[in-house]
Amino acid sequence: MTTSSSERGVGLGMPQLPAPDYPDDVRARLEADAREIIGRYPDSRSALLPMLHLVQSEEGHVTRTGMRFCADLLELTTAEVAAVATFYTMYRRKPSGDYQVGVCTNTLCAVMGGDAIFAALQEHLGVGNDETTADGKVTLEHIECNAACDFAPVVMVNWEFFDNQTPESAKRLVDDLRAGRQVDPTRGAPLCTFKETARMLAGFPDERDGAVDATGGAGPASLVGLRLAKGDTAAARVVHPRGGGPQDEPRDAAPHEPSPAEHLSSHDAPQETSASDPDHPSPASESDGPVDEEGQ
């Protein structure tokens, strides 16, 4: 016994028509920029990634028209372009807001409060992951890692850093963005729109006064890693082994007091558990006495 396509839930509609082209003036402007991008590479197809950012800067996301434009200039098929555009999450496939708000939910940011921030913003904005507010201002998404663990929990807006956030500070941040109030990143260049950011990622300079000179320093944990990579080692610290007593220190060794910039180990005094993990409150906040050196 066979079943029809309609019974199997398979649609046999008309094939999708080719994407429309850009208006002549828009295409001429984009093509001039695209030729500049292509000229940077010995093989034209290597220009695809920045060209996708270029077309994204035009409409705020990578449209079928944008993919067709890239395919035409790079002599690729639209399928080849679509395969790249759908692989990388920095390319938006649907209309998005002026401000892309990304909350890091990877391990360290999550346990420091990233999960709580993301949940609070979803409720506050009334949107889910990868959704945009009705006013078209903010698109919310969770991000696996913002590469700023020493500032956890971190929120990024159009790839600019907002460090050491809390649910309340993050809600104030998105409220200011939606109201059009000035918002300054913790470090780095002044904030701009998502389309402007996309053009910079395509390789074109930021022409705003003072934007290029703006910068930000690394945190203490990053600087410790840099010093270790250069061969600068701190004095050895003596810690209690698991399940045993304290190790004997050399008689002539002076006690080492770590500076605030030194990287601390898991044997140091436990930090408070984040409010994002209410099922595992900090032992230090309980009334049943002090914790041991393992933080248990």
Side-chain angles (χ1 to χ4, degrees), residues 210-286:
V212 176
D213 296 330
T215 185
S222 296
L223 295 177
V224 168
L226 177 62
R227 287 196 293 270
L228 292 175
K230 290 181 175 179
D232 299 335
T233 57
R237 301 186 62 204
V238 178
V239 298
H240 295 180
R242 294 180 184 273
Q247 295 176 342
D248 292 332
E249 298 187 28
R251 294 182 181 276
D252 57 349
H256 172 63
E257 295 297 332
S259 70
E262 284 191 47
H263 178 67
L264 303 179
S265 76
S266 61
H267 293 272
D268 295 302
Q271 303 298 309
E272 290 187 3
T273 302
S274 168
S276 65
D277 191 11
D279 293 333
H280 298 84
S282 169
S285 66
E286 297 176 353

Side-chain angles (χ1 to χ4, degrees), residues 45-91:
R45 69 183 298 147
S46 299
L48 178 55
L49 295 180
M51 280 184 58
L52 286 170
H53 284 299
L54 175 65
V55 298
Q56 184 160 252
S57 74
E58 183 64 30
E59 299 176 88
H61 66 294
V62 178
T63 63
R64 293 176 58 237
T65 295
M67 287 190 283
R68 175 186 170 187
F69 172 81
C70 293
D72 289 346
L73 266 65
L74 298 176
E75 298 182 352
L76 300 173
T77 66
T78 53
E80 289 174 311
V81 175
V84 174
T86 57
F87 181 82
Y88 294 103
T89 58
M90 289 180 73
Y91 300 124

Side-chain angles (χ1 to χ4, degrees), residues 2-35:
T2 60
T3 56
S4 67
S5 59
S6 59
E7 291 173 325
R8 295 194 303 269
V10 178
L12 299 177
M14 292 292 292
Q16 193 173 36
L17 296 174
D21 202 353
Y22 287 118
D24 291 342
D25 60 329
V26 175
R27 183 180 177 92
R29 173 168 47 81
L30 288 178
E31 187 166 341
D33 289 338
R35 295 296 180 191

Side-chain angles (χ1 to χ4, degrees), residues 92-205:
R92 309 293 303 171
R93 295 302 312 282
K94 59 184 180 181
S96 60
D98 293 333
Y99 300 100
Q100 190 81 21
V101 176
V103 182
C104 183
T105 56
N106 212 329
T107 306
L108 183 57
C109 277
V111 300
M112 294 294 288
D115 286 341
I117 291 172
F118 188 64
L121 288 182
Q122 287 187 95
E123 181 178 0
H124 185 67
L125 295 172
V127 298
N129 181 48
D130 199 27
E131 293 181 356
T132 302
T133 55
D135 58 10
K137 293 292 186 180
V138 171
T139 297
L140 178 67
E141 69 172 346
H142 75 82
I143 297 178
E144 285 302 313
C145 183
N146 280 330
C149 299
D150 45 339
F151 294 101
V154 173
V155 173
M156 294 194 87
V157 180
N158 295 345
W159 311 114
E160 298 294 347
F161 287 102
F162 291 81
D163 303 318
N164 302 311
Q165 293 293 295
T166 65
E168 292 306 314
S169 68
K171 287 190 286 187
R172 289 195 299 271
L173 170 62
V174 296
D175 285 346
D176 287 343
L177 292 172
R178 299 181 73 184
R181 292 187 284 268
Q182 180 175 339
V183 173
D184 297 317
T186 307
R187 50 201 164 97
L191 196 63
C192 61
T193 67
F194 182 65
K195 289 182 180 180
E196 291 171 323
T197 302
R199 182 170 176 80
M200 295 175 205
L201 291 173
F204 295 96

Side-chain angles (χ1 to χ4, degrees), residues 37-49:
I37 294 173
I38 293 170
R40 303 170 189 163
Y41 300 93
D43 187 339
S44 63
R45 69 183 298 147
S46 299
L48 178 55
L49 295 180

